[in-house]
Amino acid sequence: MITHSAEETRNLGKRLAAMLQPGDVILLKGDLGAGKSEFSRGIARGLGINGPVPSPSFTILNAYDEGNIPLYHFDWYRLESAEEIYEMGMEEQLGGDGIALIEWFEKAKECVPSRALLVEIRTIDEETREIAFYPQGGFPFQEDQLL
C-alpha cells in the first residue's frame, strides 16, 4: 500500500487497529524516519488511545491501558541483547492481554512470538511511503480488509 503523508500513514494504522485482537503482535520494520512511529500513533488512535503517543526510544516500552485493548509499544533500538527483555520482565506483554507493537524487533528476534504481523515501511520520498504486510505463523490478515 502507498501513503502520501504522515496523516495517511496514521490512518492506515488506525484501520489496522480495527482488525486487531488481544494477544496480537505487530512487528514494525523500516529505517529511521520511515514512519514507524506515525503508523504506531494510528494504531493507538484506532484502539481509542487519545493522549500523546511518543516513540519509546529511551524507555523501551510505553504501555497504554485507556483504550479498548491495552497497547504495549516497544522500541528495541537501544537493546544490547535479548536478555534485557527478560531482565526487565517485558516478555509478559508479548502475546498477552493487549496488542504488542514492536519497533526494531530485529534486535531481539528470539523474543518475538512466531505468530505476528510484520509491517515493513519503506521511504519513497519525503512524504510517500510504501507499506507492506507479511503475516507470519498463521496470523489472520487479509490486506483487502484495509481498503
Side-chain angles (χ1 to χ4, degrees):
M1 303 192 92
I2 302 292
T3 63
H4 300 283
S5 67
E7 181 180 2
E8 285 185 14
T9 299
R10 286 190 301 273
N11 285 338
L12 184 58
K14 189 174 181 179
R15 291 195 307 273
L16 176 62
M19 300 166 46
L20 299 177
Q21 300 294 318
D24 285 347
V25 176
I26 308 301
L27 310 173
L28 295 176
K29 183 174 184 175
D31 293 334
L32 285 170
K36 296 181 299 293
S37 292
E38 292 296 345
F39 191 80
S40 299
R41 287 180 189 99
I43 289 175
R45 296 295 178 258
L47 294 175
I49 298 163
N50 294 314
V53 181
S55 178
S57 296
F58 294 99
T59 58
I60 301 177
L61 170 63
N62 289 340
Y64 305 91
D65 60 5
E66 70 266 21
N68 306 329
I69 302 171
L71 175 65
Y72 304 105
H73 184 188
F74 294 89
D75 185 329
W76 291 352
Y77 183 76
R78 299 190 186 289
L79 290 183
E80 297 295 324
S81 73
E83 289 302 313
E84 291 179 66
I85 299 292
Y86 299 110
E87 288 170 4
M88 293 184 254
M90 291 186 200
E91 74 278 6
E92 296 173 12
Q93 286 84 18
L94 298 174
D97 66 338
I99 307 299
L101 185 61
I102 309 170
E103 298 185 41
W104 300 102
F105 70 93
E106 304 93 336
K107 301 283 268 183
K109 283 184 182 180
E110 55 270 35
C111 295
V112 175
S114 59
R115 183 184 173 277
L117 179 64
L118 171 60
V119 179
E120 190 167 355
I121 304 174
R122 191 169 67 86
T123 303
I124 303 297
D125 61 33
E126 190 172 317
E127 294 292 324
T128 309
R129 302 295 186 262
E130 178 182 56
I131 303 173
F133 300 89
Y134 303 99
Q136 302 176 349
F139 190 97
F141 176 78
Q142 293 180 340
E143 192 169 301
D144 60 344
Q145 294 176 315
L146 293 175
L147 301 175

